Amino acid sequence: MAQHFLLSKNARTLSLGKVLRMSLEEAYASFKALRFAATGGEAVCPKCGGAKVYEFASRKIFKCAACSGQFSLTSGTIFASRKLAIRDILSAIAIFMNGHKGYSALQLSRDLGTAYKTAFVLSHKIREAMASQIPAEVSGDVEIDGAYFGGYVKPRNYKENRRDRRLIQNQTGKRKVVVVMRARKGDAVTRVFKSEGQSIDAIKKIVKSGSTIYADEATSWDNLQGDFATRRINHSEAYSHDGANTNQAESFFSRLRRAGIGIHHHIRRRYLAAYASEMAWRENNRRMSNGAQYLMTAYAASQHPISRQWKGYWQRRAK
């Protein structure tokens, strides 16, 4: 029996201990090389793009000779206005990458010795950076499926008082559906909607024209037949028949549900899209080593603009 990739030596190229043991100067130099990779590690002004920049060694800030603007290493990035040291941020990314089924904010806060709120926002910033690397379109043979999350209705104690929680009239109104568009031998893209029927317009934009769509017999997907060649599978009769199946889409939902139940235990609907994108990124890059995943995410974070959702998140919540 062939060895699974995750168990092989090629999957383990990141030494977490090496990242945690980096000095502050080494971590600073590492992030600087990622942030200004296009210029060989030489700082560039994020305001005017000026290449002539002075660095103050005592305060770890830069000053542009052209516009006289001052900026730090994380100015203009998703980690702008940070309070954590660069080493702690890189350590958080390394720890986050090793969570094959995801990583909870509570566990990250214990690993880093920070408050839960700090770890919560940091985790979501990492997820946002990961989501920026997910392609905007998929093509070829594309499997489409939806799975509902949230809207939990606690079952009654006695049988005569129980309700069928699958029926719409017995839902709380908080339930949402994650729709995945996954190209066979390709990437997965996710979106969140109130129902599968509301996803049709988004699917038509994300799936390239000329692609073949594989879906189940849900009536929601009937509206795709006029725009794409479609192959449907009736799951009440078989999971796969003559190449028609949604097995890879189901595989993605298996990972997402395991993350929700086993790692996070509960995912609020306002954050569902972020967690779905994280799992899509992990699924798309599952054949890459943890070291490559770490570098990809650290680079994406160093290039990602300020997060309008997560910068000052708790301050806005307090107001």
Side-chain angles (χ1 to χ4, degrees):
M1 183 176 178
Q3 187 181 45
H4 193 282
F5 171 73
L6 293 179
L7 301 178
S8 68
K9 182 179 179 181
N10 293 333
R12 304 186 302 272
T13 60
L14 172 66
S15 172
L16 183 57
K18 184 177 180 180
V19 177
L20 295 174
R21 288 192 296 267
M22 282 195 302
S23 66
L24 295 176
E25 290 74 17
E26 290 173 337
Y28 184 88
S30 178
F31 194 86
K32 183 181 178 182
L34 291 170
R35 171 76 194 276
F36 303 113
T39 56
E42 296 296 328
V44 176
C45 179
K47 299 178 181 178
C48 69
K52 192 174 182 181
V53 172
Y54 303 99
E55 182 174 5
F56 298 90
S58 59
R59 296 178 57 196
K60 294 294 184 183
I61 61 172
F62 303 92
K63 183 174 182 179
C64 177
C67 67
S68 298
Q70 294 185 359
F71 60 94
S72 70
L73 186 59
T74 55
S75 294
T77 73
I78 200 168
F79 297 128
S81 303
R82 63 181 172 87
K83 293 182 179 179
L84 286 177
I86 296 292
R87 180 177 58 189
D88 292 339
I89 291 175
L90 293 179
S91 298
I93 295 175
I95 294 170
F96 203 81
M97 289 301 100
N98 279 341
H100 182 57
K101 294 291 192 297
Y103 211 83
S104 69
L106 177 60
Q107 191 167 353
L108 185 62
S109 70
R110 292 180 175 184
D111 291 339
L112 298 178
T114 65
Y116 171 78
K117 289 184 176 182
T118 301
F120 178 82
V121 170
L122 181 58
S123 298
H124 275 289
K125 286 182 177 181
I126 296 174
R127 290 188 184 97
E128 187 172 319
M130 294 165 70
S132 68
Q133 295 183 316
I134 297 176
E137 293 181 325
V138 290
S139 61
D141 293 332
V142 181
E143 296 181 12
I144 292 179
D145 200 8
Y148 285 89
F149 293 82
Y152 178 74
V153 179
K154 186 176 181 179
R156 300 290 183 177
N157 183 28
Y158 294 102
K159 182 178 179 180
E160 59 270 19
N161 296 328
R162 294 173 187 169
R163 298 174 294 169
D164 189 345
R165 292 175 290 169
R166 296 171 297 179
L167 301 178
I168 296 178
Q169 60 266 29
N170 294 331
Q171 294 297 320
T172 62
K174 298 180 179 180
R175 192 170 69 153
K176 284 193 173 185
V177 61
V178 175
V179 174
V180 62
M181 294 144 274
R182 183 170 186 179
R184 291 182 175 177
K185 298 182 180 180
D187 293 327
V189 179
T190 59
R191 294 292 186 273
V192 175
F193 305 92
K194 288 187 176 180
S195 66
E196 289 182 345
Q198 293 184 359
S199 67
I200 301 302
D201 291 339
I203 292 174
K204 292 178 180 179
K205 294 178 181 179
I206 295 171
V207 179
K208 288 185 178 180
S209 178
S211 300
T212 300
I213 284 182
Y214 295 79
D216 56 27
E217 289 290 333
T219 57
S220 306
W221 314 129
D222 293 344
N223 295 326
L224 296 172
Q225 295 180 355
D227 297 87
F228 303 95
T230 59
R231 297 194 63 188
R232 311 289 286 275
I233 180 68
N234 188 342
H235 283 160
S236 64
E237 298 179 358
Y239 286 106
S240 178
H241 177 70
D242 194 24
N245 62 73
T246 58
N247 291 344
Q248 293 188 36
E250 295 286 355
S251 175
F252 165 78
F253 285 126
S254 176
R255 178 190 288 268
L256 181 57
R257 289 199 184 280
R258 281 183 173 87
I261 296 172
I263 303 297
H264 306 292
H265 300 292
H266 174 70
I267 299 176
R268 293 188 64 181
R269 58 177 177 168
R270 65 161 60 181
Y271 310 126
L272 181 57
Y275 287 96
S277 295
E278 176 198 349
M279 290 301 114
W281 187 94
R282 291 186 186 275
E283 191 75 11
N284 296 345
N285 299 285
R286 67 192 182 281
R287 288 288 179 178
M288 299 187 67
S289 67
N290 58 349
Q293 292 176 353
Y294 164 76
L295 290 176
M296 284 178 60
T297 305
Y299 176 77
S302 70
Q303 305 300 312
H304 197 284
I306 295 173
S307 174
R308 297 305 173 188
Q309 180 180 5
W310 296 109
K311 182 183 178 183
Y313 174 80
W314 292 112
Q315 289 84 347
R316 293 196 303 274
R317 293 271 295 181
K319 291 180 182 179

